[in-house]
Amino acid sequence: MNNLIVICQSGGKFSTASDGSLSYVGGDAHAISVSRETKFDELRLEIADMWKYGTDSMTIKYFLPNNKRTLITISSDKDVQRFLDFHGNSGTVDVFVIKNESSTALAAVTPSTTETTPVPPRKRSTRKRVIQQEYPLNVTPVAQAPAPAFLASASASENAGRFNSLATVPTEIQSGGQMKRVKLWENCITGLHQQFNNVREVRDAFRKYSIAQGFTIKFKKNDSMRVSAKCSVDGCPWRIFASRLSTTHLFRIKRLNEIHTCGAGTSTDSHPRASKKVVEGIVKEKLRDSPNVKPKEIANQIQQEFGIELRYSQVRRWMEAATEEIQGSYKEAYNQLPWLCEKIVETNPGTAVSLNTREDLSFHRLFIAFHASLHGFQSGCRPLLFLDTMSLQSKYQSELLTAAAVDGNYGIFPVAFAIVDVVNDDNWHWFLVQLKTALPTFQPITFVADRQMGLRQSISVVFENSYHAYCLRYLSEELKRDLKGPCIHEIIGVIVGHLYDAAYAPTLDAFRKCIESIKSISPEAYDWILQSDPENWANSLFHGARYNHITSGIAESFYSWLTELAALPIIKIIETIRHKLMELIYTRKVESDQWLTRLTPSVEDKLQKEILKAQSLQVMFSPSNTFEVQDFLGAVNVVNIDAWDCSCREWQLNGFPCLHAVAVLQHIGRDVYDYCSKYYTTEAFRLTYSESIKPVPTVDKPVLGESSEVQVNPSPLRRVSGSPKKRRIRSRGVVKRPLHCSRCKGEGHNKVSCNVVS
């Protein structure tokens, strides 16, 4: 189909006519072009950019053809395709962009059907049917109903599927509530010239229609170009034929004889029968709607909705086949990596990408740093990077390495990531080398990372004059593992609490006080801490600038969704990360356009608290740039405004004036904002998100088959957690002890198999 012109309207309101139809009045309108390749996220971002809406603060709706009473919502890629199906033959179509706060007003004019259409309670049948797979043709299954088997012959192309069998055992659908759902399948076939997106939709519609009408179909032609079927009863004239439209993947019904002489559609049989293919389709639909659903959950839903009882193993096999069909082959996804890397660089110039394979062409590692992320880090972020790792949900060995920064509003800003087959020193060193190449900067960078990941040597070698701050979370876990002794579990929490206090302590005196507290509890813990390189994790001893950040897990807030998803092909993982980054950059860019303060909101709030606390301080005047500041308890701190230094060290650690510095600056009439780090300004924040990540079109994505040249093979399969089961093998020459019968005292048998009558 050609691109559809979509007229986007917003800012107006709906009014209801006397016949119940809705009309949209007022507002502005913009026109965009939508095609079959358009994804929902791309459509939502483009529409949100028109009116500067947040992507989560709006809803996209449209009318069905010849129906001005019901608004349909677009909220997924599937909805976009349905929208194009409904309006594919139209030149233009209107969509309405509604801000979420307007939903109540919309509900007031939208006709409600909940009061006029009561939903009867669902009735569950006590009878159950088990769907099974029959492999040999000469095996007759035991059925609880004498109805004839529902057999659908398929073409050779369809029978080549992974789990197709020569014959299937029928399944009866029970209860009134389940029958209502099956009744919906009567509309799968609406008449001549009905159009379908592909041949799979045609086959699925034919099967469901026959179930709803209560007859059995038999396929006569069933290939990639045409599908024809007839009623399986001899002499019944019901026929249907659909074929592919030239130069497209669309199918259309060309011939249809709706007359039945076999009594189909008028039978009083209340239990239509479902074939294995139909149940597979139901599993696929549920998996498409809920990708993270478990096999047991799907089995329970199908049993409740259709009265079909499935084995766990059946559902799991169908889910694996459906997942591969929906998301693509896990193995082929690796072979598509060279194409994806080339496309990313082509659509996002300046992006750093590096793909490595081993000698046997198995996947080794992949590094990606988008140009927008590199530009944002160099233009507006503090020279501070957090390194961390995360395991990916995959059937193959794959781990995620991440480098993330923090923007001026204390938000996570992903800079680079890599997918590797295993986390080790070599892969971390390679990751840092790629990062150094992508960030040609001579400015010292502070890295916050685990000290046990083999990074101590690599950071100092790859990034000269840089600093390595140990992640305190990993350090405390090491302490818990290494401390031994009775009752240690009772005091370890107190020790870790003092350890964090020591890390945050701004001065050396405060650090020593915390360490002495640990010594009084556990001398072993005290010795361990002194040997753990405190100069790499304590604020009072650290020489770099880490802005009071002591843990490296900041990136978890962005990448945590990866652990919640089911296993994805590697191509899908990369594309999903790219979509998340696109949305993050766009959303924060739109938010910052509304800011009116000189500093970012988070830092502005912190600074205002310091200004409020500074009102009770007394400043001792000095002709030089060094001042003494006394609080109400008599404690004195020394402030040097030229060096941006205070003896409390909070100014140096945080990057904005502490309460003592604020008191001095106000006393001498200086602007407090001039003494804040440039990284906290709204201008720097906007520079961080000034570049955007461009979409990567997949129109020319290669379709790889068995004969395609292999460029990248998958990494080894992931090992199952836990120690492998051991099988005991007797050594040669060891004679097995013979059995002795306690009844007859004979050898070679026991009491159970003894033939002697007692």
Side-chain angles (χ1 to χ4, degrees):
M1 62 170 285
N2 296 326
N3 290 357
L4 181 64
I5 305 300
V6 177
I7 301 174
C8 307
Q9 302 189 52
S10 185
K13 61 180 181 178
F14 287 96
S15 60
T16 308
S18 58
D19 61 350
S21 61
L22 299 174
S23 60
Y24 196 74
V25 181
D28 298 326
H30 296 272
I32 60 174
S33 177
V34 178
S35 67
R36 285 286 177 188
E37 288 73 37
T38 301
K39 301 296 183 183
F40 171 68
D41 288 339
E42 299 170 1
L43 177 65
R44 180 172 58 169
L45 286 174
E46 187 171 359
I47 292 178
D49 191 39
M50 295 175 181
W51 287 281
K52 304 301 181 184
Y53 291 164
T55 53
D56 295 328
S57 64
M58 67 178 190
T59 305
I60 307 171
K61 293 181 177 289
Y62 67 95
F63 286 119
L64 293 173
N66 304 318
N67 184 346
K68 296 292 185 181
R69 299 188 180 192
T70 306
L71 284 166
I72 308 300
T73 302
I74 301 178
S75 59
S76 65
D77 292 340
K78 192 174 183 180
D79 290 339
V80 175
Q81 296 303 316
R82 288 172 177 163
F83 167 71
L84 295 173
D85 291 340
F86 294 141
H87 293 281
N89 296 326
S90 305
T92 62
V93 63
D94 294 318
V95 300
F96 308 98
V97 184
I98 304 166
K99 295 201 73 174
N100 287 345
E101 57 264 28
S102 302
S103 58
T104 55
L106 175 64
V109 299
T110 304
S112 175
T113 59
T114 56
E115 297 181 0
T116 59
T117 310
V119 179
R122 180 184 298 169
K123 297 180 181 179
R124 290 190 182 178
S125 172
T126 57
R127 301 172 60 192
K128 296 181 179 180
R129 292 290 184 265
V130 179
I131 182 168
Q132 296 178 337
Q133 203 168 328
E134 179 182 336
Y135 291 97
L137 288 176
N138 59 352
V139 176
T140 303
V142 178
Q144 295 184 18
F150 180 90
L151 299 176
S153 62
S155 66
S157 62
E158 187 176 4
N159 286 337
R162 185 175 179 181
F163 299 115
N164 291 352
S165 61
L166 296 176
T168 57
V169 178
T171 301
E172 291 186 2
I173 297 175
Q174 308 290 330
S175 87
Q178 298 150 9
M179 287 294 298
K180 284 194 171 185
R181 292 179 176 83
V182 176
K183 279 292 183 182
L184 296 176
W185 293 350
E186 292 180 352
N187 297 323
C188 288
I189 304 297
T190 58
L192 278 175
H193 310 302
Q194 182 180 352
Q195 198 163 286
F196 302 89
N197 289 325
N198 51 57
V199 68
R200 290 191 299 273
E201 287 190 7
V202 176
R203 295 165 181 157
D204 190 53
F206 285 10
R207 293 190 181 102
K208 289 181 177 179
Y209 178 79
S210 67
I211 294 172
Q213 293 291 338
F215 70 97
T216 304
I217 63 170
K218 182 177 181 180
F219 286 97
K220 297 178 63 179
K221 299 288 184 181
N222 191 3
D223 54 42
S224 60
M225 298 299 296
R226 54 188 177 174
V227 180
S228 65
K230 68 171 188 174
C231 179
S232 62
V233 177
D234 292 338
C236 182
W238 188 91
R239 299 285 190 279
I240 190 169
F241 173 79
S243 63
R244 181 177 169 180
L245 301 179
S246 59
T247 71
T248 72
H249 293 286
L250 301 177
F251 275 70
R252 181 176 292 170
I253 295 178
K254 301 293 185 64
R255 293 193 297 271
L256 174 62
N257 186 347
E258 300 181 86
I259 299 175
H260 276 283
T261 59
C262 61
T266 61
S267 173
T268 58
D269 181 14
S270 61
H271 303 299
R273 304 173 70 76
S275 71
K276 167 180 165 290
K277 274 291 180 183
V278 173
V279 180
E280 281 184 359
I282 296 172
V283 172
K284 181 179 176 182
E285 290 175 1
K286 290 187 175 296
L287 188 63
R288 193 188 297 274
D289 294 336
S290 303
N292 298 326
V293 69
K294 304 298 182 184
K296 188 175 181 179
E297 295 174 359
I298 288 186
N300 291 338
Q301 291 173 13
I302 292 178
Q303 197 281 328
Q304 293 174 5
E305 295 177 10
F306 301 100
I308 301 173
E309 187 172 295
L310 302 174
R311 295 192 304 272
Y312 178 90
S313 58
Q314 283 178 308
V315 179
R316 183 177 178 182
R317 287 197 303 270
W318 292 338
M319 285 181 65
E320 289 176 352
T323 300
E324 188 165 308
E325 183 178 345
I326 295 171
Q327 299 176 350
S329 168
Y330 290 92
K331 185 176 180 180
E332 291 179 2
Y334 281 91
N335 208 21
Q336 292 172 340
L337 284 175
W339 169 87
L340 179 63
C341 294
E342 181 181 342
K343 276 296 175 184
I344 289 176
V345 175
E346 178 184 324
T347 54
N348 292 268
T351 296
V353 177
S354 178
L355 173 62
N356 288 175
T357 59
R358 297 189 182 274
E359 293 182 358
D360 59 354
L361 296 182
S362 64
F363 174 80
H364 188 192
R365 50 201 180 191
L366 169 65
F367 174 90
I368 298 178
F370 287 97
H371 169 70
S373 298
L374 298 173
H375 177 271
F377 174 72
Q378 293 176 305
S379 301
C381 288
R382 287 161 275 180
L384 179 67
L385 285 175
F386 302 84
L387 305 180
D388 208 354
T389 181
M390 181 181 299
S391 294
L392 296 175
Q393 298 284 348
S394 174
K395 62 190 296 185
Y396 299 104
Q397 291 182 9
S398 53
E399 307 285 339
L400 185 71
L401 310 182
T402 64
V406 179
D407 62 32
N409 201 39
Y410 292 95
I412 174 68
F413 184 76
V415 177
F417 67 92
I419 299 176
V420 298
D421 54 357
V422 64
V423 177
N424 55 26
D425 295 353
D426 177 61
N427 279 337
W428 267 119
H429 183 84
W430 172 83
F431 179 80
L432 291 174
V433 170
Q434 303 304 315
L435 189 62
K436 175 67 174 178
T437 305
L439 292 172
T441 177
F442 299 100
Q443 185 179 15
I445 297 177
T446 297
F447 293 90
V448 182
D450 182 14
R451 69 169 184 164
Q452 297 294 341
M453 290 194 303
L455 291 171
R456 276 189 287 185
Q457 294 77 17
S458 296
I459 289 176
S460 59
V461 171
V462 178
F463 286 87
E464 298 179 1
N465 303 320
S466 60
Y467 303 94
H468 182 187
Y470 296 164
C471 172
L472 206 66
R473 185 186 66 179
Y474 291 118
L475 193 69
S476 61
E477 290 176 357
E478 283 185 59
L479 175 62
K480 293 177 184 178
R481 289 195 302 265
D482 294 345
L483 283 186
K484 307 294 182 182
C487 304
I488 192 66
H489 63 280
E490 298 178 0
I491 60 174
I492 190 63
V494 179
I495 294 175
V496 170
H498 285 305
L499 176 65
Y500 272 79
D501 292 339
Y504 278 114
T507 64
L508 192 57
D509 289 340
F511 171 79
R512 288 171 179 164
K513 184 178 179 180
C514 297
I515 294 299
E516 289 298 324
S517 299
I518 295 176
K519 185 177 181 180
S520 64
I521 300 173
S522 171
E524 293 81 6
Y526 173 81
D527 294 336
W528 189 96
I529 290 173
L530 291 183
Q531 297 173 10
S532 63
D533 305 325
E535 64 275 8
N536 289 89
W537 54 265
N539 275 340
S540 59
L541 301 172
F542 189 67
H543 296 293
R546 62 178 183 178
Y547 297 87
N548 228 11
H549 290 281
I550 64 173
T551 60
S552 62
I554 190 171
E556 290 181 0
S557 60
F558 177 78
Y559 293 102
S560 59
W561 53 269
L562 281 171
T563 60
E564 299 171 0
L565 292 179
L568 294 174
I570 189 170
I571 289 284
K572 290 287 185 180
I573 293 175
I574 297 170
E575 283 295 277
T576 308
I577 292 176
R578 183 180 63 82
H579 283 139
K580 295 282 186 181
L581 284 172
M582 286 177 62
E583 187 168 357
L584 176 75
I585 291 175
Y586 173 79
T587 302
R588 292 185 177 170
K589 180 180 180 181
V590 172
E591 288 177 356
S592 66
D593 289 340
Q594 312 300 320
W595 296 349
L596 302 177
T597 55
R598 184 171 171 181
L599 302 179
T600 62
S602 295
V603 181
E604 179 71 29
D605 181 63
K606 293 177 182 292
L607 184 61
Q608 290 301 320
K609 291 179 180 178
E610 297 297 315
I611 293 174
L612 186 63
K613 290 186 291 186
Q615 295 177 0
S616 61
L617 302 180
Q618 183 180 0
V619 178
M620 307 298 180
F621 183 77
S622 172
S624 65
N625 292 323
T626 303
F627 298 81
E628 290 185 354
V629 181
Q630 183 177 349
D631 61 18
F632 67 94
L633 294 176
V636 176
N637 283 275
V638 180
V639 176
N640 187 327
I641 58 174
D642 286 344
W644 290 28
D645 181 271
C646 179
S647 58
C648 75
R649 300 199 73 245
E650 294 290 347
W651 193 359
Q652 300 93 300
L653 291 175
N654 295 319
F656 56 85
C658 61
L659 71 163
H660 310 108
V662 168
V664 171
L665 293 171
Q666 290 180 333
H667 181 74
I668 62 177
R670 300 281 183 90
D671 190 348
V672 176
Y673 291 92
D674 291 338
Y675 291 84
C676 295
S677 172
K678 65 178 181 179
Y679 301 113
Y680 293 139
T681 63
T682 299
E683 179 184 0
F685 186 92
R686 289 171 179 165
L687 284 174
T688 303
Y689 297 97
S690 59
E691 295 289 331
S692 59
I693 297 178
K694 307 298 188 300
V696 178
T698 58
V699 178
D700 57 345
K701 182 178 179 180
V703 179
L704 304 177
E706 296 293 335
S707 59
S708 302
E709 180 183 357
V710 176
Q711 296 178 313
V712 182
N713 281 319
S715 52
L717 289 171
R718 186 182 295 276
R719 287 186 58 188
V720 180
S721 59
S723 57
K725 295 181 180 180
K726 295 182 179 180
R727 183 179 178 183
R728 183 180 177 185
I729 303 177
R730 294 182 180 273
S731 302
R732 291 185 179 181
V734 177
V735 180
K736 186 177 179 181
R737 183 174 64 88
L739 293 174
H740 290 275
C741 179
S742 61
R743 175 180 295 170
C744 69
K745 309 304 180 184
E747 294 185 355
H749 66 278
N750 56 19
K751 179 180 178 180
V752 176
S753 58
C754 183
N755 295 324
V756 178
V757 179
S758 58

